[in-house]
Amino acid sequence: LIAGDLYDGHQTSMKTARFLADEVGRLHEAGIRTFIIRGNHDALSKITKQLILPDSVHCFGSKAGCVAMEKEAYGFAVNIHGLSFKEEKAPESLLPSYRMPIPDSVNIGLMHTSLDGSPHHDNYAACKLVALHASGFTYWALGHIHARSAYAGSCMVVMPGMTQGRDVNEAGPKSVSLVTIADDQTIDIEERHISAAEFATVPIDMMGVGTWEEAIGIIEKGLGQAQLQATSDVLIARLCIEGQTPMAARLRWDVELLRAEADRLADQGGRVFIEKLEVRAQEPKQDAQKDGN
C-alpha cells in the first residue's frame, strides 16, 4: 500500500521513473500486488501519467474506487479503497467521497491527508481522526506527513511517515509499517526501519572544557554515542558545539580546523558523515563581585 507522493513535486527524471518501475516489477515477480494513490506531489509530476507499471499494480483514480481481493486467498473478504489527488490542492476532506465500507469484510482505506494538521506541513485534504475512527473501516493507511504516527481506536489509523529522510529536518530512522490481519480479523502493526541513512542533530556540551585536546575528546565521545543510537547503516550528523567554556573564542576562531578534526573522527568511526558544524559555545559568565570587594 503506497499512500501517495512517490515523486517530489515537479519530478521529470525518467531515470527515477524507471527505477520505480523496476522495483515494483520485483514485487510483481514475487506475486505481491501493489495499490497506489496519488498525492499532491504526484499530481504535479508529468511522469506520473507516462509510467507503465505491471498488471499487479492498481493505481486509484480521482474518483473513489474499491478493489475486492480474492476471498479464497485469505479466508475472509478484503476490500481496498482509494482515491487519488486530481489536482495539487485538495482543501476539503476526501472522506465523504469514499465508498461506504462493505459489510462482513475487512475494509482498508488509502488516503493522502494532513489529518488534523502538522506544524511542518501544509494542510491537504485535512480529515479529523475521529471521523476516520467512526468510518466503519478496519484500517486506514495514510500518506503526506513525513513523521510516523499510529492511532488505535475503533479502527487502526497509521501515518507511516517516509522511507528515507532527505535532510536534518527529517532526522531519525525512517520506516514502513507491516500490517498483519489475523484469521479473527484483528490487526497487528509492526514498524520496520528501512532507511539506509539517518540524519541527527548531535549536541556537544563543552561546559568547563579548558584545552583543545579536551574539546576534541568530547566531540569524539559525542559522535560515538550518536552512532550507537542510530538504527540505520549510515549516520549524517550536524554537530552543535554548546556550553560555557573558556575555549569558546578559540572554537569560533578555529572552526574550520574543528570541522577538519570532526571529519577525521567521523572517518575513523566509519559510516559517519558530518553534514555541518555549528559553534554556539559561550565564555563563562563572570561571578558578581561580592559586597565590600
Side-chain angles (χ1 to χ4, degrees):
L1 305 178
I2 302 176
D5 284 357
L6 280 167
Y7 306 103
D8 192 354
H10 296 278
Q11 174 63 254
T12 58
S13 170
M14 289 309 296
K15 182 178 179 181
T16 298
R18 188 70 263 158
F19 173 80
L20 171 64
D22 290 344
E23 295 301 299
V24 173
R26 293 175 61 198
L27 296 175
H28 175 76
E29 292 171 2
I32 299 172
R33 298 182 67 177
T34 304
F35 296 88
I36 300 172
I37 57 173
R38 296 188 177 98
N40 54 293
H41 284 282
D42 300 320
L44 292 172
S45 175
K46 295 179 181 179
I47 60 178
T48 299
K49 299 177 182 179
Q50 299 173 355
L51 188 61
I52 298 175
L53 298 173
D55 294 337
S56 59
V57 178
H58 182 87
C59 291
F60 288 95
S62 56
K63 291 185 178 181
C66 177
V67 177
M69 307 290 284
E70 300 80 0
K71 185 175 181 179
E72 295 76 15
Y74 304 100
F76 47 81
V78 178
N79 299 280
I80 312 293
H81 301 251
L83 174 62
S84 288
F85 276 37
K86 183 178 181 179
E87 306 291 342
E88 176 193 0
K89 299 292 185 181
E92 305 295 335
S93 171
L94 298 176
L95 182 58
S97 299
Y98 278 71
R99 298 184 185 182
M100 294 296 292
I102 298 174
D104 302 319
S105 66
V106 172
N107 289 274
I108 297 173
L110 276 165
M111 181 183 289
H112 197 80
T113 173
S114 58
L115 204 53
D116 290 327
S118 170
H120 303 295
H121 291 77
D122 293 333
N123 283 337
Y124 285 89
C127 180
K128 294 294 184 181
L129 177 61
V130 65
L132 294 180
H133 278 153
S135 64
F137 278 62
T138 312
Y139 177 77
W140 280 100
L142 307 184
H144 182 62
I145 296 176
H146 294 182
R148 188 181 188 277
S149 56
Y151 308 94
S154 54
C155 68
M156 282 301 304
V157 179
V158 175
M159 183 81 71
M162 63 197 310
T163 56
Q164 174 60 60
R166 300 170 299 172
D167 55 44
V168 74
N169 295 316
E170 297 172 340
K174 302 304 175 183
S175 62
V176 296
S177 293
L178 177 63
V179 181
T180 303
I181 304 175
D183 292 340
D184 63 358
Q185 299 186 21
T186 58
I187 289 182
D188 179 71
I189 299 172
E190 178 188 350
E191 180 186 8
R192 288 198 173 185
H193 294 157
I194 64 168
S195 49
E198 65 185 72
F199 292 83
T201 297
V202 181
I204 305 294
D205 188 2
M206 293 289 180
M207 179 69 72
V209 170
T211 68
W212 184 263
E213 291 74 17
E214 284 183 90
I216 301 306
I218 294 294
I219 292 176
E220 182 176 19
K221 182 178 179 181
L223 275 176
Q225 291 175 341
Q227 188 175 15
L228 287 175
Q229 293 171 358
T231 61
S232 305
D233 290 338
V234 174
L235 173 67
I236 305 173
R238 175 175 292 188
L239 301 183
C240 293
I241 310 299
E242 303 172 341
Q244 295 182 12
T245 168
M247 291 287 294
R250 184 180 176 188
L251 293 174
R252 290 194 298 269
W253 181 261
D254 287 334
V255 65
E256 291 186 7
L257 177 59
L258 193 65
R259 170 63 189 264
E261 291 283 8
D263 287 337
R264 177 183 63 81
L265 294 172
D267 289 341
Q268 288 179 354
R271 295 188 175 275
V272 180
F273 299 91
I274 307 301
E275 178 260 353
K276 189 176 183 180
L277 185 146
E278 299 177 343
V279 177
R280 303 174 182 172
Q282 299 177 342
E283 287 75 11
K285 295 180 180 179
Q286 299 296 322
D287 293 336
Q289 288 187 333
K290 294 182 180 180
D291 293 340
N293 290 341

